[in-house]
Amino acid sequence: MTPPTPYREGTVRDDMSWPAAGPKDGSPAPVPAADRPTPHCAFEAAFAAAPIPGAIVETGGERRLVAVNRAFAALLGYRTADLVGIRLAEVVAASDVAALRRCLVALGRGESQIGPRTIRWIRADGGAVAADTRFDGSSTGGPTGQAIVFLEGGADAGSPGDVRDTRKLLQDIIDGVPALVFIKDLQDRYILANRRTRQLFGGECVGLTDQDIATIEEAQQFRRHDAEALAAGEPREFEEWALHNGEQHTYYSLKFPLLDRQNRPYALCGVSTDITALKRAETAAREARDEAERANRAKSEFLSRVSHELRTPLHSILGYCQLLQVEGLGLDIPATAGRMARAGHHLLELINDLLEVSRIEQGQDRIRLEPVHACDPVSEAVDIVRPLAAARDIELAVDLHGGIHEFVSADRRRLHQVLLNLMSNGINYNRPGGEVRVSFRRVAVDRLRFLVSDTGSGIHRQDFERVFMPFERMNGQDQHPEGAGLGLAVSKALIEAMGGTIGIESSQTGRGTTLFVELQLVAAPANAHEIVFGARQVEAIGRTPLRGRILYIEDYSANFELIEQALGRAADLTLVPAACGEIGLTLARELVPDLILLDLHLPDLPGETVLVRLKEDPHTAHIPVVVLSADATPSQITRARAAGAEEYLTKPLDLVQFVRVVATALGVGPEEKA
């Protein structure tokens, strides 16, 4: 490091601790600060504001004081201007003058550092201060060399020097602090910095400014906060940021001015604590709270929408029931019953969709992936919606060529459900005389798209995501009150559970919409040829004569009457009611029926308990039990089957399916087994 330029005696203002460099004749000629070399300025500022008493002295000649800092002058009780230019012998005890001269002579001969040596310095009031004095060689240029003298420990004359190397002690203390600790002079130069500060800014800071070691943005915020603390004359708290290893950190900074005896600031001290982890935790907690609030609002909105959707068909059902009660048979009974049936079916579909959404979200709806011939679920769905399309005068066009040799990874039943929903929407939201077209297209080597296009009114681009949300209808219009607005939400969840995607490929206002389902292509199974080209037979349900005795354990008489009507055409069939579980168990032992129909919600015993007791009793264990329950949860069905139920049918019953199940159960009854 290049030593500073030798300094001459010059005029010193009392508000500065450094003499301006003058011409060689010694006359005062202050040089503007902007014209001084940067190292010179940095050293001046650091020396002047240093908390350690220091002076620059001549190593030869009369050994005068060339410059002193404020701390040196304050220690001896002088003004800085009073000390500049006087001989060392005037401020050093007579007994220590010789030792002081020997040190300065050694420095003049080229030694770089001497000390510390205990020297007694004479104060302005005549007292003496014993201080550990260190001598550093500064320059030997010019007629006399110069040295820097530091007083590193001081006490009254005669007292022991208990504190050695005060600067090192201070540095060791602040280096152990995990926060950033630093002192700057009034020109924004660092005159003290601890280890953490040096690590943050990548090296030594002393003598440098914020603009030298930080980015422009960082330096601007530091200077702004420094100025605010200095202007206040008291501690101020700030939240600041700085980059550390490429990552932005947040700091809590306490900054306060250091004041001299005249209560004037001569430096600024700062302590900055890294609170990045705390701020991140606060942000995470705030985001979690906001998310909880959003979820709560969504829950409230969902319940409100569910209430509305449930009440709509119930209003129709209950309204027609009241009309029947008032008008009796005066109404058109078939038409009224048809309206009630449609409302009831709509209500059932809504409940099933709600249960489906709940099961999918809770992970209870198991998706069974297998190779599925792409054309099969399409053909099945087309067969179902064809009457609906005909009733609405919609042409249904199907192009199977793109999928005739393709197999996708899917749950066959769920894929059929999704395609059925897309085709139904294409028909319901179409124009009279419109068209629904179903086709395939490969979009990648291993991805196949099922495309369902309609000629309806189209969907606005801003609504593309909204139509897949619960209770949102196509176009945002309630064109079809029978729709619950859950179909696309359920479809999205199902397709994503299969590892696929669903969305809107294109839509034009007044021109129609194309929705797609995209799934993973898989290798064809061994029997692919049979699947693709084999003959398909439609399963027909023939009339099976029902014979035997059935015990129906059910407490709701209307349900018994419904079953009685459904099975009433079989002359060789006897239906026996039991209004509670205990009566049912007794009748089962006494009658030993061919089949037991069991409701799970009974007034005296849980239906599961009745089922277990029937299977544990040797007299009734062989009797097939078919559960008829309104509880459609998968866990309940699993428990009932595990307990021995032959079948589990959910209410409202599909009566065709019910009769088929009864016929099957009676066909394998105890009489045939015998």
Side-chain angles (χ1 to χ4, degrees):
M1 180 175 177
T2 305
T5 304
Y7 295 100
R8 305 284 184 178
E9 295 181 20
T11 303
V12 180
R13 296 175 297 170
D14 194 44
D15 61 343
M16 297 181 62
S17 56
W18 196 267
K24 292 183 178 180
D25 60 4
S27 60
V31 179
D35 297 335
R36 299 178 189 172
T38 300
H40 182 168
C41 297
F43 184 81
E44 277 189 29
F47 178 80
I52 305 301
I56 296 180
V57 301
E58 297 173 339
T59 57
E62 295 185 345
R63 298 183 173 86
R64 296 180 181 272
L65 291 172
V66 177
V68 298
N69 64 9
R70 296 190 185 93
F72 185 93
L75 178 66
L76 301 186
Y78 288 93
R79 296 185 309 156
T80 54
D82 295 337
L83 290 174
V84 175
I86 69 173
R87 293 181 296 109
L88 278 176
E90 299 179 38
V91 290
V92 175
S95 58
D96 293 334
V97 169
L100 180 64
R101 287 177 178 172
R102 285 194 296 272
C103 292
L104 294 177
V105 169
L107 290 174
R109 292 173 178 173
E111 291 193 30
S112 60
Q113 190 176 89
I114 298 176
R117 303 287 175 82
T118 301
I119 302 291
R120 291 192 304 165
W121 298 82
I122 306 302
R123 291 173 49 83
D125 57 8
V129 176
D132 293 333
T133 305
R134 178 166 55 86
F135 303 85
D136 287 311
S138 173
S139 174
T140 56
T144 61
Q146 295 178 357
I148 303 176
V149 178
F150 289 109
L151 280 58
E152 297 182 339
D156 291 339
S159 65
D162 294 330
V163 180
R164 305 286 180 178
D165 200 350
T166 306
R167 183 181 181 87
K168 183 177 184 304
L169 176 63
L170 175 62
Q171 191 70 51
D172 289 344
I173 291 174
I174 65 174
D175 279 348
V177 178
L180 279 64
V181 182
F182 52 86
I183 298 176
K184 304 178 188 178
D185 65 16
L186 300 184
Q187 284 72 46
D188 190 40
R189 291 184 176 85
Y190 286 85
I191 57 178
L192 187 67
N194 72 340
R195 182 183 295 111
R196 186 73 184 92
T197 306
R198 298 193 300 273
Q199 289 173 346
L200 175 64
F201 293 112
E204 187 57 61
C205 302
V206 174
L208 302 177
T209 68
D210 287 323
Q211 291 181 337
D212 298 325
I213 61 178
T215 66
I216 296 176
E217 294 80 5
E218 289 173 337
Q220 288 176 344
Q221 66 162 336
F222 296 155
R223 289 181 66 90
R224 184 171 63 253
H225 295 160
D226 293 351
E228 185 176 333
L230 289 170
E234 59 184 10
R236 283 285 186 268
E237 299 174 352
F238 304 97
E239 185 174 296
E240 299 179 318
W241 63 271
L243 294 177
H244 184 45
N245 294 331
E247 181 182 0
Q248 181 171 307
H249 284 238
T250 304
Y251 290 86
Y252 163 76
S253 297
L254 176 66
K255 297 185 174 183
F256 53 92
L258 301 179
L259 307 177
D260 60 17
R261 293 184 179 181
Q262 286 74 38
N263 211 34
R264 294 175 301 182
Y266 64 87
L268 176 90
C269 183
V271 180
S272 299
T273 304
D274 192 334
I275 58 171
T276 305
L278 178 61
K279 297 294 289 185
R280 288 174 180 167
E282 289 179 353
T283 300
R286 182 172 58 254
E287 290 176 350
R289 183 194 65 225
D290 294 343
E291 182 60 30
E293 292 176 352
R294 284 193 296 269
N296 191 50
R297 289 193 299 269
K299 176 184 175 182
S300 298
E301 181 180 353
F302 180 78
L303 290 176
S304 175
R305 300 289 291 273
V306 168
S307 174
H308 169 76
E309 297 294 340
L310 289 174
R311 287 173 181 273
T312 299
L314 278 175
H315 170 73
S316 178
I317 295 171
L318 295 177
Y320 282 117
C321 285
Q322 293 174 42
L323 288 176
L324 283 173
Q325 291 173 340
V326 175
E327 300 293 338
L329 298 180
L331 288 176
D332 184 347
I333 298 300
T336 302
R339 297 186 186 99
M340 294 175 64
R342 286 194 295 273
H345 280 297
H346 170 59
L347 183 60
L348 176 60
E349 290 174 3
L350 176 58
I351 293 172
N352 287 338
D353 283 344
L354 288 172
L355 290 175
E356 188 114 56
V357 171
S358 176
R359 285 196 297 266
I360 294 170
E361 290 181 347
Q362 296 175 14
Q364 296 177 352
D365 192 24
R366 295 182 180 177
I367 299 296
R368 297 172 178 83
L369 296 180
E370 60 179 341
V372 176
H373 184 218
C375 294
D376 279 354
V378 172
S379 299
E380 294 169 2
V382 167
D383 289 341
I384 293 175
V385 301
R386 196 178 296 280
L388 176 63
R392 295 184 180 273
D393 192 24
I394 302 296
E395 180 181 350
L396 193 58
V398 182
D399 181 1
L400 299 179
H401 288 87
I404 195 71
H405 297 290
E406 307 292 358
F407 286 79
V408 294
S409 176
D411 184 307
R412 180 189 179 91
R413 181 173 66 89
R414 295 307 198 183
L415 178 56
H416 168 261
Q417 176 184 348
V418 170
L419 293 174
L420 185 61
N421 178 263
L422 296 186
M423 294 181 197
S424 298
N425 280 342
I427 295 169
N428 288 331
Y429 291 91
N430 215 317
R431 56 178 173 80
E435 179 186 73
V436 171
R437 177 173 295 275
V438 184
S439 60
F440 301 94
R441 186 175 73 249
R442 272 204 183 203
V443 292
V445 176
D446 58 348
R447 306 285 287 184
L448 181 68
R449 277 195 175 185
F450 298 71
L451 302 171
V452 179
S453 304
D454 63 59
T455 54
S457 57
I459 303 172
H460 296 296
R461 180 166 294 276
Q462 62 267 27
D463 295 331
F464 278 13
E465 293 295 329
R466 194 163 62 89
V467 297
F468 292 97
M469 299 173 62
F471 300 114
E472 294 291 349
R473 294 181 173 84
M474 305 283 280
N475 300 333
Q477 299 171 0
D478 192 9
Q479 298 178 359
H480 298 280
E482 68 272 14
L486 281 172
L488 287 178
V490 172
S491 298
K492 185 175 188 293
L494 289 173
I495 293 300
E496 289 178 350
M498 297 180 207
T501 55
I502 185 172
I504 300 175
E505 185 174 87
S506 63
S507 184
Q508 293 182 352
T509 303
R511 300 287 297 275
T513 302
T514 297
L515 287 94
F516 71 87
V517 169
E518 186 177 305
L519 292 172
Q520 181 79 24
L521 284 166
V522 294
N527 61 338
H529 187 275
E530 179 183 346
I531 293 174
V532 174
F533 299 105
R536 294 176 173 81
Q537 297 181 351
V538 178
E539 182 181 356
I541 302 174
R543 289 185 174 273
T544 303
L546 302 178
R547 302 185 307 274
R549 181 180 293 167
I550 299 176
L551 173 63
Y552 188 14
I553 306 175
E554 166 69 70
D555 65 320
Y556 191 43
S557 59
N559 286 341
F560 178 85
E561 293 168 2
L562 175 64
I563 297 302
E564 188 175 36
Q565 290 292 326
L567 301 176
R569 295 184 179 182
D572 296 332
L573 192 65
T574 302
L575 187 64
V576 179
C580 62
E582 290 291 356
I583 295 176
L585 290 169
T586 302
L587 290 175
R589 286 179 59 86
E590 293 176 356
L591 301 176
V592 190
D594 302 302
L595 174 64
I596 297 175
L597 304 178
L598 174 63
D599 180 56
L600 293 184
H601 295 274
L602 300 172
D604 58 339
L605 293 175
E608 289 182 74
T609 302
V610 175
L611 178 59
V612 170
R613 289 173 60 177
L614 285 170
K615 292 302 176 180
E616 290 177 346
D617 190 338
H619 294 85
T620 58
H622 65 281
I623 304 173
V625 178
V626 174
V627 173
L628 308 179
S629 176
D631 190 343
T633 56
S635 58
Q636 179 63 70
I637 296 173
T638 301
R639 287 197 302 269
R641 290 187 178 277
E646 188 83 8
E647 289 288 348
Y648 191 112
L649 302 179
T650 58
K651 300 175 183 177
L653 295 176
D654 181 334
L655 294 181
V656 175
Q657 179 191 20
F658 168 71
V659 173
R660 185 191 310 150
V661 169
V662 169
T664 302
L666 291 175
V668 294
E671 293 181 1
E672 287 193 19
K673 288 182 179 179

